Amino acid sequence: MRAAKLRGNQQLLRQRLESLEGRSYREYKSLKGLYEFSEFELSIDYVQGDPFASPSRIRVWISQQVAEFPTHWLIDYAAQIAIADYLTRQVAQVAQVLAPKSGSGKSGEIAIAPTSQAILRRTAIWITTEGIEARLTVGLPAWGRRIAGNAAAKLLCEIIPQLVSQGLKYKSLEAKALTRHVQTFQDAEALRSQLEPNGLVAFIAAGACLPRRSGVDERSLTQDADPFVLPIESLSSEPQTDSCITLQTPHSGPVKGLGIPAGVTLIVGGGYHGKSTLLKAIEQGIYNHVPGDGREQVVTHSAAVKLRAEDGRSVVGVDISSVIDHLPKGRRSDWFTTTNASGSTSQAAGLVEAIAAGAKVILIDEDTAATNFMIRDRNMQTLIAKEKEPITPFVDKVRQLYEDYDISTILVMGGSGDYFSVADTVIAMEDYQPRMVTQRAKAIAQADPMQRRTEGGQGFGKINQRAILPESIPSGKADRLPKIKVHRHGLMLGYEPIDLSAIEQIAETNQVRAIAQAMLYAQRYYFDEKTSLGQILDSVMSDIARGGLDSLATGLSPDRPIMSGDLAEFRRFELAAAINRLRTLKVGSIS
Ligand code: ADP
Ligand code: MG
């Protein structure tokens, strides 16, 4: 907060605003700077040029002498994240009551970056033992194109103090709800940390509510949702002991659930019986969820990556020869490049890219996979000779992936039994309830007289590392940074659109914005002909771990960093996915 220039106190700001009544809107610009209020500091960082432009940005800093959060809560990093997340939601609610959207544009509105079901570290609010910083946007009030100075004075000098008081002081919060938020987060962290020691890649607690309200509403389905139950053995009604596991949590004690072991796991079952819903919950188990979400105790290995077919995407210089070789017309598969991938080649490229980025678990749903990438049955093997089929189906690669690279796979596959023989674990979903059917599936596979020939060859094959060249991202006008625009399913870097609609593990738009900044940051500091994408990801992620998400802005414009409140933490995999989808990507090979 110290960065901004001190301009005066609350009274001065009020007088200044009142004196601007009726003046040209642009004169709001003169307000930039820091103001001391009785209980906090207000920094006006960016002033919008007109009433319809994106709103102005302000920051509020309140010390712990005033906020009064119990110190013992704040020494824990996990608790800091959870409290900041809670406060962000609290401020959003209070702001909606105190300063709702009214009139034209965003005039008179106070807002904080919108959240999702995930508890994430964001730049909207950060809390330490010293104090709390909150970053908000305000639509500075206008009459047409004139300043509504009295309304602005009320907004900044009366409503903001109320917002601070009701939204950021410990005394005004519901202690129980806050405690639950923090404890839910800490429990989920504890559960996830027990996955690897127990040989698991995912855990679904009994009682979890997995279905969502709708395809566009990530909140928990409340009516007619069947809670997740412990799996039973296919032929008995007793809970199956080796898949039911008890993990420990600091606040809820022992928690029983289904543990999905490392290796190859198959989720089978009839249509509409809850297979995809289970996989989706696993996919999102990389995040900790808010109380009431239903998936608070569903946790997944943090390097689990959802993979799907994405025909039409661009691919640059990816060695997909381990799964697709001998492309027609002599097209190279060890340096596969296309502006318009097919279903199977997009999925192959996605797989190799995920491995190169360090994925440890691959998640695939038949609903969104390319059939010819996944399977090739006996009859088709007979009709089309191996030499005429470039694709080695994933069924012949999935075990090698585990054995050679220690990468597990969880697969939803209701339509083909070909995976029975390569799976370590088979879970059948029936009426939304899991059953363990591994033994039966194995027996069926062994008894099959028409077994298919395996085509996988000796091993999975090598994964190439590519250097990312600096010219991959075109610079903006007059060599300035390209403008960033984001939405939930993609972004624009200057005039370059990047489609992220197939990246299903992005939880909220704040992450997309942070990814966009991270791409520009990576370009400035790490893109060159010698550094692999894997190393670039290491460097960017460790810079963020050390300096926070703000280090992106500081790195991009050291003189005038924009301290925006709408960034959220993201994983290396989603950053890699965005870089790999740049249509202007230029890569070099690294030997
Ligand atoms: P599948 O992939 O097996 O075809 P889905 O997972 O898509 O099935 O689920 C089918 C429907 O059932 C979806 O609308 C989903 O929301 C709903 N559903 C899934 N699990 C449950 C559950 N435990 N309770 C209630 N509804 C559920
Ligand atoms: Mg499905």
Side-chain angles (χ1 to χ4, degrees):
M1 281 303 276
R2 295 291 153 194
K5 193 172 141 213
L6 182 63
R7 300 291 301 275
N9 58 17
Q10 181 176 4
Q11 282 66 39
L12 182 120
L13 179 63
R14 176 188 285 278
Q15 285 161 11
R16 187 87 192 96
L17 285 165
E18 284 167 357
S19 74
L20 287 175
E21 177 76 32
R23 305 282 285 268
S24 149
Y25 198 86
R26 295 198 78 79
E27 290 191 46
Y28 264 138
K29 295 259 182 207
S30 65
L31 294 172
K32 260 178 83 168
L34 184 69
Y35 300 87
E36 274 172 345
F37 281 52
S38 58
E39 294 198 311
F40 59 91
E41 291 174 0
L42 172 76
S43 173
I44 302 178
D45 293 339
Y46 165 82
V47 180
Q48 63 204 99
D50 73 80
F52 296 95
S54 54
S56 306
R57 281 196 295 271
I58 63 169
R59 279 180 296 159
V60 163
W61 194 85
I62 166 171
S63 81
Q64 286 295 4
Q65 267 97 47
V66 181
E68 293 188 300
F69 277 76
T71 330
H72 67 270
W73 274 33
L74 297 172
I75 44 178
D76 179 353
Y77 189 70
Q80 283 181 346
I81 295 176
I83 295 172
D85 181 275
Y86 183 87
L87 291 176
T88 307
R89 294 165 201 272
Q90 173 77 11
V91 166
Q93 264 180 23
V94 176
Q96 222 174 34
V97 175
L98 293 178
K101 200 171 143 72
S102 67
S104 51
K106 295 200 185 272
S107 189
E109 187 189 17
I110 300 176
I112 194 158
T115 51
S116 63
Q117 293 292 99
I119 301 178
L120 294 177
R121 177 161 192 177
R122 302 188 189 83
T123 53
I125 289 192
W126 191 237
I127 182 165
T128 66
T129 46
E130 269 108 64
I132 305 171
E133 182 177 304
R135 299 177 182 179
L136 308 165
T137 58
V138 289
L140 291 173
W143 305 112
R145 304 220 166 251
R146 308 247 147 231
I147 287 177
N150 294 320
K154 180 160 182 253
L155 196 66
L156 293 179
C157 300
E158 287 170 35
I159 294 179
I160 291 283
Q162 284 175 35
L163 179 71
V164 169
S165 174
Q166 294 173 33
L168 296 175
K169 284 190 192 171
Y170 183 70
K171 275 208 296 274
S172 328
L173 305 176
E174 238 183 277
K176 251 190 161 154
L178 175 63
T179 307
R180 192 165 156 229
H181 208 80
V182 173
Q183 294 188 340
T184 300
F185 184 89
Q186 288 172 331
D187 280 355
E189 289 284 289
L191 290 174
R192 195 174 295 102
S193 73
Q194 290 163 75
L195 292 176
E196 272 198 278
N198 285 287
L200 303 176
V201 293
F203 173 82
I204 302 107
C209 176
L210 309 187
R212 300 295 95 192
R213 216 164 282 186
S214 80
V216 291
D217 188 342
E218 266 295 290
R219 287 172 302 169
S220 161
L221 178 70
T222 40
Q223 276 168 6
D224 306 322
D226 288 2
F228 191 79
V229 295
L230 291 175
I232 51 176
E233 174 58 282
S234 58
L235 297 174
S236 88
S237 56
E238 292 297 302
Q240 232 237 348
T241 41
D242 54 343
S243 56
C244 300
I245 181 160
T246 303
L247 300 180
Q248 302 299 323
T249 59
H251 306 294
S252 326
V255 177
K256 257 192 182 178
L258 164 64
I260 296 189
V264 179
T265 300
L266 210 56
I267 301 172
V268 301
Y272 224 63
H273 278 265
K275 304 183 296 297
S276 297
T277 304
L278 173 58
L279 191 77
K280 276 237 164 301
I282 293 170
E283 201 176 295
Q284 297 302 318
I286 55 167
Y287 299 119
N288 301 334
H289 289 102
V290 295
D293 174 85
R295 301 167 299 183
E296 297 93 316
Q297 296 181 331
V298 179
V299 292
T300 304
H301 193 298
S302 55
V305 176
K306 175 74 181 288
L307 175 67
R308 58 172 288 168
E310 192 186 345
D311 54 320
R313 69 161 278 199
S314 103
V315 177
V316 183
V318 177
D319 180 358
I320 58 170
S321 62
S322 49
V323 276
I324 297 186
D325 212 350
H326 309 297
L327 285 166
K329 313 257 178 202
R331 268 192 91 120
R332 279 182 77 177
S333 61
D334 62 340
W335 190 258
F336 182 69
T337 299
T338 177
T339 57
N340 191 3
S342 65
S344 58
T345 49
S346 66
Q347 207 172 342
L351 175 64
V352 173
E353 289 164 350
I355 299 170
K360 280 287 150 208
V361 185
I362 299 290
L363 308 171
I364 302 176
D365 190 329
E366 61 181 352
D367 293 352
T368 50
T371 309
N372 56 347
F373 177 83
M374 301 303 294
I375 50 175
R376 184 165 137 80
D377 69 12
R378 169 77 200 207
N379 284 343
M380 197 54 82
Q381 285 181 322
T382 311
L383 182 67
I384 307 289
K386 169 80 183 119
E387 301 74 55
K388 292 284 172 206
E389 172 53 272
I391 306 170
T392 303
F394 193 60
V395 65
D396 290 324
K397 285 291 174 184
V398 67
R399 281 229 70 79
Q400 297 169 343
L401 193 57
Y402 184 52
E403 276 147 27
D404 298 356
Y405 289 106
D406 198 27
I407 298 174
S408 298
T409 300
I410 304 176
L411 195 73
V412 169
M413 181 57 82
S416 165
D418 282 356
Y419 278 85
F420 288 174
S421 55
V422 293
D424 298 301
T425 307
V426 186
I427 302 165
M429 292 302 287
E430 199 180 310
D431 294 327
Y432 314 139
Q433 299 188 357
R435 284 165 190 273
M436 303 313 289
V437 296
T438 311
Q439 300 316 324
R440 276 179 66 198
K442 291 272 169 211
I444 291 167
Q446 260 164 21
D448 180 10
M450 287 285 286
Q451 278 180 16
R452 54 187 297 285
R453 286 185 299 275
T454 56
E455 300 175 349
Q458 287 305 309
F460 185 84
K462 42 176 218 334
I463 297 298
N464 72 328
Q465 283 290 349
R466 300 165 303 155
I468 308 293
L469 307 182
E471 57 268 33
S472 290
I473 302 177
S475 58
K477 275 199 202 108
D479 251 8
R480 273 196 301 214
L481 289 173
K483 257 203 153 91
I484 292 174
K485 275 201 205 122
V486 302
H487 54 97
R488 174 70 179 68
H489 300 292
L491 61 102
M492 297 278 290
L493 282 185
Y495 296 108
E496 277 308 309
I498 302 173
D499 182 4
L500 297 177
S501 54
I503 311 307
E504 295 169 274
Q505 288 169 294
I506 292 177
E508 59 187 53
T509 314
N510 299 315
Q511 292 177 306
V512 182
R513 194 171 288 100
I515 287 170
Q517 285 199 3
M519 291 173 77
L520 298 180
Y521 178 90
Q523 177 197 32
R524 160 139 346 155
Y525 293 98
Y526 300 116
F527 285 5
D528 61 39
E529 65 284 354
K530 293 191 293 288
T531 312
S532 72
L533 179 53
Q535 292 166 322
I536 295 169
L537 299 173
D538 289 345
S539 301
V540 174
M541 298 315 286
S542 83
D543 289 356
I544 294 173
R546 212 172 319 115
L549 286 161
D550 281 338
S551 53
L552 298 174
T554 328
L556 284 172
S557 37
D559 311 328
R560 288 194 314 141
I562 297 166
M563 294 298 148
S564 55
D566 47 12
L567 306 180
E569 62 177 316
F570 56 87
R571 298 187 310 167
R572 57 191 287 129
F573 306 107
E574 282 70 41
L575 173 57
I579 293 173
N580 282 319
R581 278 161 187 76
L582 261 172
R583 288 189 177 268
T584 45
L585 187 67
K586 306 272 180 308
V587 307
S589 63
I590 291 181
S591 43

